[in-house]
Amino acid sequence: NKSALEVIDSALFVLVLDDFHPDSVHDAAANMLHGTHVMKEMKDFDSNANGGHGYASASMTMTNSAHALYTSNDVKASQSGLVREYQAGTCCNRWYDKLQIIVCSDGSAGINFEHSAIDGHTALRFASDVYAESVVQFAKSITKSIYTQGCPIPSMIDAKVVRVAVGNESGDTEMALDTNPKKLDFQLVEKLKDRIFHAESALGDAVNADDTFVLEFTEFGKTFIVANKMSPDSVVQMSIILAYHRLYGDTVCNYEPVLTKRYLHGRTEAMRSTTTQAVEMCKCFANRLASKEEKIKALRESTKNHSRLVKESSEGMGVDRHLYALKCIAEKKGMKIPEFFASDAWRVLNHTVLSTSNCGNPALRLFGFGPVVPDGFGVGYVIKDSRIQYSISSKHRQTKRFAHAVQQTLHEIGEMLGPLQSQSVGYHNVESKPVSKSQPAVEYADAWVDTYGDSINMEQLSIAGESKLATASSDPRVPSNTRLVGLTKLSRRVSLVRENSISVGTQIPDQK
C-alpha cells in the first residue's frame, strides 16, 4: 500500500476518465465539481469473496465501471432476496486532494483541485496553457504543407519536449520510459473496508445535498459594461447582491477573493462587496417609486466604491487576512484571544452566505465551487466580451430560482443603461451610431483584476484612401471622448493620435 500511495502522492496531477455523458451543462458542471451519485442493483454477486465481503476491487482504480464494497449485512440481505446496490457514480472515480484533469465520454473536460494548495488563477494558468498549446498545434498542422523550413508560429512551451512513448533523444525505437498503464493494488483489511464503505456513504450524502445550476447570460458582457464606464467585475458583484435582495429582501455577507500575487508568497485578500453603498443600491432598486436615473446613480456609486476597495485589497490594504493571521498567531502561542474575535461583527463577517469568485478567460466556459456555509451559495463566474457565465451551487436552497433572479437583475440593468453609443473612426469622418449589446469589437482600458475605462469601436479605418481593417489590440488605449485627427501605422501596429496631445515619436500623416 505504501508504494502505491507514493505513486499517487508524487504525481503532479491525476487523469480521470469518466464513463459519463452529461445531458446538460448543469450536469457537466456538477460532475466536474463533485462527480455523480448513481446507485445500481448488483446482479452478479459473490458472497464468498473476501470472507463474506463482496468487494469490487475496481473501486480503487481510476475507472468508474463499478464501485462496490459490501458488508456482512449486505450479504444477509442478498440471501434474503432483498435489493443489493452499489455505487456506480463518478464520485468514486476521484482523488479529491490532487489536481485532477477530468474527461467525460463525450470529450468535455475540466479541472478539479483542492483549494488549500493553489488558487483559482493558478489552475487557470494551467488550463490556459493546455488550451493554447492545442490551438497552436492545430494551427501548425494547417500550415505544415506551406512552410517547408520551419513554422513561424511559436510554441506555447519553450522547453524541448521529448515524448517518452515515442523514443529517446538518440533515436532508439525502445521507449525511454515504460508508459503502459499499470493497476495499483491495495491490500485491505476488513476494518479498512468498512471505513471506506462508510466514507462512500457520507460522500453520497454530500453529493446529494449539492445543487448546481448554470446561468449563461448572453444579452451583454464586458464590452457593454465598460462602454458605460463601469467595472464589469463590480457590476457582476452588484448583480449577485441585488438578486439575493430581490429574492429574500435582505443583504448578507459577500466574499470575493482579490489576488495579491504581486507580493512574495502572496495569494489573496478578502474583498467584502456588501458595502454601505451596495445596501443603499438594493434599497433604491426595491423602491417602486425610484426613477431609472436614481437607480443608475446608485449602481454607479456602488460599483465605483467596489472598484476602489478591490484596488486597495490588491495592494495589501485589506483587513480580513491580517486579522485572521493575528488570531492564528495568538492561538498558536497560547495567548489570550481578544474579545473582538468573539463579537457579533466578527461572526457575521465570517459567515459568508454569498461566496463569489471571478476566474476565467476564453479557455474556460465555466468556473464554480460549492458554498462555504450550509445556508450559503457558491457563485463562480466568467466575464466575456458579450456574455457572463455563472456556475451557482448551494445545499438545499433554491439554486435555480436564485440564478433566475440574477438573470432578471442583469436584464433590468441592461434595459436601464440602454444601447451603446460609440465612435466610428474613419479618415475625415467621425460619427456616432448605435452598437448592439453583444458587439465584441471594442477597445477598453483595464486595470489589475478590475476593469474600468472608456471604449471606442474600432471598425473600418481608412489610411490615405486605402481601406484597412484594424484589429483590436491592447495598446494604445484611447478614451471615447477623444477626437481622432490622424492615423499612422508603426511597427505593424495602428497608432491613434489625439488632437489635444503631443505624441512623441509618432508622425501624423498628411491630411490629403
Side-chain angles (χ1 to χ4, degrees):
N1 293 344
K2 179 181 179 181
S3 60
L5 290 172
E6 285 177 348
V7 170
I8 297 173
D9 287 341
S10 62
L12 291 176
F13 59 88
V14 173
L15 175 62
V16 181
L17 304 179
D18 277 353
D19 186 15
F20 171 74
H21 189 290
D23 295 328
S24 66
V25 66
H26 315 291
D27 293 339
N31 183 62
M32 297 302 174
L33 179 60
H34 50 61
T36 62
H37 179 273
V38 180
M39 299 302 298
K40 287 188 177 181
E41 182 179 353
M42 174 61 76
K43 296 180 180 180
D44 299 325
F45 180 76
D46 183 8
S47 61
N48 295 321
N50 297 303
H53 286 66
Y55 171 65
S57 60
S59 62
M60 299 305 295
T61 65
M62 295 309 289
T63 63
N64 66 314
S65 57
H67 308 281
L69 183 65
Y70 302 98
T71 65
S72 58
N73 292 330
D74 297 314
V75 178
K76 294 178 182 178
S78 66
Q79 294 171 348
S80 302
L82 300 178
V83 177
R84 299 160 297 158
E85 292 182 321
Y86 69 95
Q87 179 61 259
T90 62
C91 63
C92 289
N93 188 27
R94 298 288 187 272
W95 204 274
Y96 288 101
D97 62 348
K98 301 291 293 186
L99 179 70
Q100 302 175 98
I101 303 176
I102 304 170
V103 183
C104 296
S105 60
D106 65 346
S108 59
I111 293 177
N112 183 294
F113 62 96
E114 207 283 312
H115 200 355
S116 64
I118 63 174
D119 298 315
H121 281 75
T122 307
L124 178 64
R125 165 67 186 273
F126 175 68
S128 300
D129 285 354
V130 171
Y131 181 81
E133 180 65 18
S134 66
V135 174
V136 169
Q137 293 300 323
F138 176 68
K140 288 184 176 181
S141 68
I142 297 175
T143 60
K144 185 177 181 180
S145 60
I146 300 177
Y147 299 100
T148 57
Q149 295 182 351
C151 179
I153 302 175
S155 298
M156 279 295 301
I157 303 175
D158 295 331
K160 183 178 180 180
V161 177
V162 179
R163 301 187 182 278
V164 295
V166 177
N168 52 32
E169 295 185 9
S170 62
D172 297 337
T173 57
E174 183 180 357
M175 291 184 181
L177 292 174
D178 185 2
T179 60
N180 294 316
K182 295 177 179 61
K183 181 179 178 181
L184 298 179
D185 290 315
F186 292 85
Q187 303 298 322
L188 303 178
V189 297
E190 300 302 319
K191 184 177 180 180
L192 186 55
K193 292 179 184 179
D194 291 340
R195 293 189 63 179
I196 294 175
F197 175 78
H198 298 151
E200 181 272 312
S201 298
L203 173 62
D205 288 341
V207 172
N208 280 328
D210 180 80
D211 181 26
T212 299
F213 189 85
V214 171
L215 169 62
E216 296 187 294
F217 184 80
T218 59
E219 293 185 25
F220 61 83
K222 181 197 301 181
T223 301
F224 176 72
I225 299 172
V226 171
N228 281 280
K229 298 181 174 62
M230 286 187 287
S231 157
D233 181 71
S234 298
V235 170
V236 171
Q237 285 289 316
M238 295 307 111
S239 73
I240 297 171
I241 297 173
L242 276 170
Y244 193 93
H245 189 271
R246 176 196 293 267
L247 202 57
Y248 298 102
D250 192 16
T251 51
V252 292
C253 182
N254 182 303
Y255 165 86
E256 179 187 9
V258 177
L259 288 180
T260 55
K261 290 191 175 182
R262 64 175 65 183
Y263 300 106
L264 180 65
H265 302 314
R267 291 189 59 174
T268 63
E269 177 55 86
M271 159 62 195
R272 303 294 178 174
S273 303
T274 311
T275 59
T276 302
Q277 292 81 354
V279 173
E280 293 299 320
M281 175 197 63
C282 290
K283 293 179 180 179
C284 181
F285 271 70
N287 184 1
R288 292 179 174 84
L289 300 179
S291 65
K292 182 180 75 172
E293 290 73 19
E294 290 174 331
K295 292 181 180 180
I296 293 177
K297 180 181 178 181
L299 178 63
R300 290 191 181 279
E301 289 179 353
S302 61
T303 55
K304 183 178 180 180
N305 184 62
H306 178 272
S307 299
R308 177 182 63 82
L309 293 176
V310 166
K311 185 175 184 296
E312 290 179 0
S313 297
S314 69
E315 295 172 349
M317 293 189 287
V319 298
D320 277 67
R321 301 290 189 253
H322 179 69
L323 292 173
Y324 180 65
L326 292 177
K327 181 175 181 290
C328 292
I329 292 173
E331 292 175 345
K332 184 177 180 180
K333 294 183 175 296
M335 300 169 61
K336 181 181 178 181
I337 307 298
E339 295 181 358
F340 167 77
F341 293 104
S343 64
D344 289 339
W346 181 254
R347 178 185 56 80
V348 172
L349 185 69
N350 286 275
H351 188 81
T352 304
V353 177
L354 295 175
S355 179
T356 70
S357 184
N358 174 12
C359 183
N361 61 23
L364 290 187
R365 180 179 180 183
L366 296 171
F367 163 75
F369 47 89
V372 298
V373 294
D375 59 338
F377 288 95
V379 185
Y381 56 93
V382 179
I383 306 174
K384 297 192 176 183
D385 288 339
S386 58
R387 62 176 57 212
I388 306 170
Q389 299 175 215
Y390 299 79
S391 180
I392 306 174
S393 296
S394 73
K395 296 186 183 296
H396 304 298
R397 296 201 69 171
Q398 302 174 81
T399 311
K400 183 177 180 180
R401 189 177 181 184
F402 178 66
H404 287 167
V406 174
Q407 184 179 25
Q408 291 173 341
T409 302
L410 289 172
H411 177 77
E412 182 180 354
I413 292 174
E415 289 295 315
M416 287 192 306
L417 295 178
L420 291 179
Q421 292 289 327
S422 69
Q423 293 181 337
S424 176
V425 183
Y427 202 71
H428 278 170
N429 180 24
V430 179
E431 60 182 2
S432 298
K433 69 175 185 178
V435 180
S436 66
K437 295 178 182 178
S438 60
Q439 183 169 347
V442 65
E443 277 277 21
Y444 60 90
D446 58 347
W448 185 91
V449 175
D450 182 44
T451 303
Y452 179 85
D454 300 331
S455 70
I456 184 166
N457 183 33
M458 311 250 326
E459 291 186 335
Q460 198 77 10
L461 299 182
S462 272
I463 301 180
E466 181 182 358
S467 178
K468 295 184 179 295
L469 182 63
T471 58
S473 62
S474 59
D475 188 44
R477 317 289 172 91
V478 182
S480 58
N481 59 356
T482 298
R483 184 182 172 208
L484 302 173
V485 297
L487 303 172
T488 180
K489 191 172 183 180
L490 299 175
S491 302
R492 303 176 65 182
R493 185 183 67 184
V494 175
S495 298
L496 307 181
V497 184
R498 290 180 292 181
E499 182 181 35
N500 58 349
S501 67
I502 299 175
S503 180
V504 180
T506 303
Q507 298 178 349
I508 302 180
D510 296 333
Q511 306 292 317
K512 295 181 181 180

